[in-house]
Amino acid sequence: PRRILVAEDNAVNQILIMAMLDRMGHFHDVVADGVEVLRQVQAAPYDLVLMDIQMPQMDGITAARAIRALPAPFNQLPIIAMTANAQPEDRDACFAAGMNAYVSKPIDIQVLAQTIERIGAAAASV
C-alpha cells in the first residue's frame, strides 16, 4: 500500500478517487487546491500525489512547479496528473511542469492502478 495525497476540488470526484484508492488498499489524504497541496507535502510523508489540473487558488500545473522548486526530498515526490483535458498539448504541459505521469478523466481504475504501480516502483528504485 502507498500513502497518496489526492488534490481534487470536486467533491464527487474526491469520493470516486477515494473509493478507488480504498479498493486498491492505498492510504490517502485529500486536499482541494494547490496551496493545500504545498502545505501538505511538507507536513506529512507521501509516496505520490494525484494532482487535478483545474483547481481554485492554485492549479495543478502551478502546484507541480512549486513542488519541484522545494528542497529535497520534497521536490522528488512523484506526481500523477488527473485531468479531463486529454489533448497532446495538455499532456505536454503536465510533463513540462515536472509531473511523472498522466491519467485522463473519467478515471479508469485499472489505468490508475497500473500508473500508481509504475510510478511508485520507479520512485522506489531511485
Side-chain angles (χ1 to χ4, degrees):
R2 303 198 188 284
R3 184 174 168 118
I4 298 172
L5 178 61
V6 177
E8 171 63 64
D9 63 312
N10 181 289
V12 173
N13 287 343
Q14 288 176 350
I15 292 166
L16 290 171
I17 293 165
M18 288 187 300
M20 288 180 189
L21 295 174
D22 286 342
R23 189 168 163 195
M24 290 179 229
H26 298 304
F27 302 103
H28 51 76
D29 291 322
V30 178
V31 295
D33 66 59
V35 173
E36 293 178 49
V37 169
L38 285 177
R39 252 193 305 263
Q40 196 63 28
V41 299
Q42 296 175 83
Y46 291 98
D47 296 310
L48 62 93
V49 175
L50 290 177
M51 182 86 74
D52 184 27
I53 299 306
Q54 296 180 346
M55 295 183 290
Q57 290 191 311
M58 181 187 293
D59 65 36
I61 298 287
T62 305
R65 286 186 180 124
I67 290 170
R68 295 300 179 237
L70 293 172
F74 308 112
N75 63 356
Q76 300 302 310
L77 186 62
I79 305 169
I80 299 172
M82 300 184 299
T83 183
N85 302 334
Q87 299 300 317
E89 57 271 14
D90 299 314
R91 291 176 59 102
D92 293 346
C94 292
F95 291 126
M99 296 189 191
N100 304 85
Y102 176 103
V103 294
S104 60
K105 293 179 182 178
I107 294 175
D108 178 301
I109 190 169
Q110 290 180 335
V111 171
L112 181 60
Q114 291 168 353
T115 305
I116 289 171
E117 184 59 34
R118 180 173 49 85
I119 295 303
S125 67
V126 173

